[in-house]
């Protein structure tokens, strides 16, 4: 090579030859604080029943190319976790002199008892622009493990579990007047509790009880919950039926509820006072009594009736089994064909589910070649189109541009890796394929026709 060409070429390689290799990896973007994640819990002191806000901030010095994939559910033992809405809060912040684009999502965590609550660490996958504006690979930011303590105020200690809320109300209704009660009557009592900025399952059980002579039959409580722009409210309805079994005076014990008012910062006492019932004899209520002779005669009649009913029931059973056996014999060929078809279809559905699960697990490991193999294997068990199963046909059928891009990138990564082609995203690919599968199954259930003219995709039998 000529010397006057060699020197500029070396300089060019030194300046530009490493561009492809110098693309920042996910680890480098995290280490350089190009992307960051931050979590915080508010307020500092959290009471039982109070809504704690867990805010998760995902930040980048450039901009997001895909929406960060925040988890829908957090596993916090013995706490109620309310997931965030579908949209995060976008903002910008200056940290150490650097401006960051920030997306925030907020989870509501409500402790149900006294003790330490631990929020395990979790990952948030995201894709951002690098410093040179190129697309990054998928970055998985991991939060730190957090914990907080659920407690009750000092003023409420010794009163059992006292729930804290921004508001709590109770009312009771009776199905009838409590005057002129007689033996044999029944009365329904309804207690309705309402709670603000918390969940209704924390509303206390009234604990209905009554003295001997009054039957108590509580019904299953009914809960109702509503959410609006982060605000929660709910109600609990408890019903009990009292049956008056004897005459006399009876006192239903008072119902007392203690709760902590977060607005006023004080302990509240709610409930209903003791209820007095006067139950009179009921001359219209006839209670038959029998002597020894009448009882013995009645028992003999019952035995004869039972014996006759037994013979009649036996003959009816024999006759019914004979008719049923004859029908089975006449329909034996159709029943055998139906059973075989059901068994084949059931086997196809199980095989399709097994192959789809295998595809999702393989894709998440990030091996492009194995992902292609398992995806085609699943399509072979699921595809019902006239053309053979293939990634290109599947992509065109789906009508999903993002899925088509992911499948193209997957094929390049598996068969002809190239730095000029964007890398495929395992999480995005699984998400898009699952969405197409769900849509096709819904269409099948509704009996809808696919607009492309291909048959609806569904599990099919394989011979």
């Amino acid at each position: 090579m000529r010397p006057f060409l060699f020197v500029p070429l070396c300089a060019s390689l030194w300046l530009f030859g490493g561009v492809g290799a110098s693309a920042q990896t996910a680890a480098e973007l995290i280490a350089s604080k190009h992307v960051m994640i931050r979590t915080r819990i508010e307020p500092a002191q959290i009471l039982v029943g109070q809504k704690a806000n867990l805010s998760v901030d995902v930040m980048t010095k450039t901009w997001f190319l895909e929406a960060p994939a925040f988890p829908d559910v957090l596993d916090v033992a013995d706490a109620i976790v309310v997931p965030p809405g579908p949209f995060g809060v976008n903002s910008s912040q200056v940290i150490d002199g650097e401006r960051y684009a920030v997306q925030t999502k907020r989870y509501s965590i409500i402790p149900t008892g006294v003790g330490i609550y631990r929020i395990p660490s979790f990952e948030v996958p995201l894709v951002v622009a690098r410093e040179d504006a190129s697309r990054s690979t998928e970055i998985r930011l991991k939060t730190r493990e957090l914990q907080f303590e659920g407690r009750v105020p000092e003023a409420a200690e010794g009163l059992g579990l006292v729930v804290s809320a921004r508001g709590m109300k109770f009312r009771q209704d009776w199905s009838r007047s409590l005057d002129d009660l007689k033996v044999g009557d029944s009365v329904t009592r309804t207690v309705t509790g309402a709670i603000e900025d918390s969940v209704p399952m924390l509303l206390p059980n009234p604990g209905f009880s009554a003295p001997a002579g009054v039957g108590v039959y509580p019904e299953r409580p009914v809960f109702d919950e509503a959410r609006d722009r982060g605000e929660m409210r709910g109600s609990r309805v408890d019903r009990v039926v009292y049956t008056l079994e004897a005459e006399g005076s009876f006192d239903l014990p008072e119902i007392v509820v203690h709760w902590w008012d977060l607005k006023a910062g004080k302990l509240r006492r709610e409930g209903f006072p003791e209820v007095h019932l006067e139950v009179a004899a009921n001359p219209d209520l006839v209670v038959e009594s029998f002597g020894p002779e009448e009882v013995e005669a009645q028992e003999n009649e019952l035995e004869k009736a039972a014996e006759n009913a037994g013979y009649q029931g036996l003959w009816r059973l024999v006759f019914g089994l004979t008719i049923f056996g004859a029908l089975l014999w006449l329909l034996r060929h159709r029943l055998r064909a139906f059973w075989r078809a059901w068994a084949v279809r059931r086997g196809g559905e199980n095989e399709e589910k097994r192959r789809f699960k295998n595809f999702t697990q393989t894709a998440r490991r990030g091996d492009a070649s194995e992902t292609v193999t398992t995806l085609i294997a699943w399509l072979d068990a699921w595809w019902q189109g006239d053309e053979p199963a293939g990634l290109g046909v599947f992509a065109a059928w789906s009508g999903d541009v993002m899925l088509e891009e992911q499948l193209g990138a997957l094929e390049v990564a598996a068969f002809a890796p190239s730095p000029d082609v964007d890398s495929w995203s395992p999480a995005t690919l699984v998400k898009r394929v699952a969405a197409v599968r769900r849509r096709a199954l819904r269409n099948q259930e509704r009996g809808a026709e696919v607009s492309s003219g291909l048959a609806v995709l569904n599990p099919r039998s394989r011979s």
Side-chain angles (χ1 to χ4, degrees):
M1 180 179 291
R2 296 179 182 179
F4 65 88
L5 294 176
F6 179 73
V7 173
L9 179 60
C10 290
S12 299
L13 290 173
W14 181 76
L15 289 173
F16 305 107
V19 169
S22 65
Q24 296 162 296
T25 65
E28 290 171 341
L29 292 172
I30 296 174
S32 65
K33 295 186 177 181
H34 183 83
V35 291
M36 293 194 299
I37 190 168
R38 181 175 58 188
T39 54
R40 61 188 183 278
I41 298 179
E42 299 170 329
Q45 302 292 330
I46 302 171
L47 305 177
V48 174
Q50 182 180 8
K51 183 177 68 176
N53 293 317
L54 171 66
S55 298
V56 184
D57 301 326
V58 177
M59 300 171 279
T60 177
K61 292 181 181 179
T62 51
W63 57 89
F64 297 99
L65 295 180
E66 293 181 8
F70 292 87
D72 294 330
V73 179
L74 299 182
D75 184 13
V76 182
D78 301 323
I80 300 168
V81 180
V82 181
F87 304 107
V89 177
N90 297 313
S91 63
S92 63
Q93 295 182 22
V94 176
I95 301 175
D96 297 333
E98 297 279 356
R99 181 168 293 278
Y100 285 82
V102 183
Q103 186 168 130
T104 302
K105 282 206 173 182
R106 182 173 293 121
Y107 299 80
S108 296
I109 303 176
I110 303 172
T112 60
V114 176
I116 301 297
Y117 290 81
R118 290 179 172 81
I119 305 173
S121 62
F122 56 89
E123 290 185 341
V124 180
L126 68 156
V127 177
V128 302
R130 298 188 180 100
E131 293 178 356
D132 61 359
S134 64
R135 183 186 181 89
S136 73
T137 58
E138 183 182 74
I139 307 166
R140 304 186 75 85
L141 295 179
K142 191 172 185 179
T143 66
R144 59 191 177 92
E145 182 177 306
L146 301 174
Q147 70 177 35
F148 65 90
E149 182 179 6
R151 61 184 188 86
V152 296
E154 293 183 5
E157 291 181 355
L159 297 176
L161 184 63
V162 176
V163 173
S164 300
R166 298 184 64 81
M168 198 179 293
K169 295 180 180 179
F170 298 90
R171 79 165 193 270
Q172 72 173 347
D173 300 286
W174 297 87
S175 61
R176 54 160 293 174
S177 170
L178 300 184
D179 298 329
D180 301 324
L181 297 175
K182 299 181 179 63
V183 175
D185 290 345
S186 63
V187 182
T188 301
R189 184 184 195 179
T190 303
V191 174
T192 304
I195 193 168
E196 293 181 19
D197 209 26
S198 192
V199 289
M201 65 180 63
L202 291 179
L203 286 163
N205 183 348
F208 299 116
S209 61
V214 178
V216 181
Y217 302 94
E219 299 179 4
R220 186 184 299 273
V222 177
F223 297 92
D224 183 57
E225 183 176 342
R227 300 174 188 168
D228 183 18
R229 298 180 181 180
E231 297 295 326
M232 297 184 295
R233 62 183 181 277
S235 64
R236 170 178 175 148
V237 179
D238 289 272
R239 290 187 178 87
V240 61
V241 177
Y242 297 111
T243 59
L244 309 180
E245 301 168 347
E247 63 178 297
S249 298
F250 305 94
D251 292 320
L252 305 180
E254 66 174 342
I255 296 175
V256 178
V257 174
H258 292 95
W259 66 280
W260 184 261
D261 189 339
L262 291 171
K263 291 181 181 178
K266 62 191 306 184
L267 185 66
R268 302 284 190 185
R269 185 182 188 276
E270 303 282 350
F272 308 102
E274 182 180 79
V275 177
H276 181 73
L277 304 178
E278 284 290 341
V279 182
N282 189 352
D284 297 328
L285 185 66
V286 178
V287 180
E288 296 184 357
S289 59
F290 301 93
E293 295 80 4
E294 289 83 355
V295 170
E296 184 178 357
Q298 187 177 34
E299 288 178 349
N300 292 333
E301 290 293 331
L302 289 175
E303 288 179 1
K304 291 180 181 179
E307 185 177 356
N308 293 333
Y311 285 125
Q312 293 177 4
L314 179 60
W315 281 112
R316 288 173 182 172
L317 177 63
V318 171
F319 180 75
L321 290 175
T322 303
I323 297 297
F324 182 68
L327 289 175
L328 288 179
W329 186 83
L330 291 173
L331 299 174
R332 63 189 184 281
H333 299 296
R334 291 188 180 182
L335 291 174
R336 186 181 297 113
F338 174 79
W339 173 258
R340 288 176 179 173
W342 181 86
V344 169
R345 176 174 175 81
R346 183 64 177 173
E349 290 178 349
N350 290 336
E351 177 66 13
E352 184 273 336
K353 291 178 181 178
R354 186 191 67 79
R355 293 190 184 188
F356 183 76
K357 182 178 180 181
N358 188 31
F359 154 67
T360 58
Q361 292 175 342
T362 303
R364 291 193 175 100
R365 291 197 294 267
D367 189 309
S369 180
E370 289 187 7
T371 299
V372 170
T373 301
T374 55
L375 178 56
I376 291 177
W378 167 70
L379 281 173
D380 188 44
W382 194 61
W383 181 257
Q384 286 288 297
D386 297 329
E387 302 179 55
L391 300 188
V393 175
F394 176 58
W397 178 88
S398 71
D400 189 325
V401 176
M402 186 177 295
L403 174 59
E404 191 169 356
E405 293 176 355
Q406 283 296 312
L407 290 174
L410 174 64
E411 287 184 313
V412 171
F415 306 115
S418 172
D420 298 328
V421 178
D422 290 338
S423 176
W424 67 290
S425 167
T428 303
L429 177 64
V430 170
K431 181 179 179 181
R432 303 315 304 175
V433 172
V436 171
R437 178 175 179 263
R438 286 195 302 271
R439 186 174 69 244
L441 291 176
R442 284 198 299 268
N443 288 340
Q444 180 191 10
E445 291 172 359
R446 293 196 298 263
E449 294 295 332
V450 179
S451 59
S452 66
L454 297 177
V456 177
L457 298 180
N458 65 350
R460 59 185 172 90
S461 63
R462 300 186 56 78
S463 57

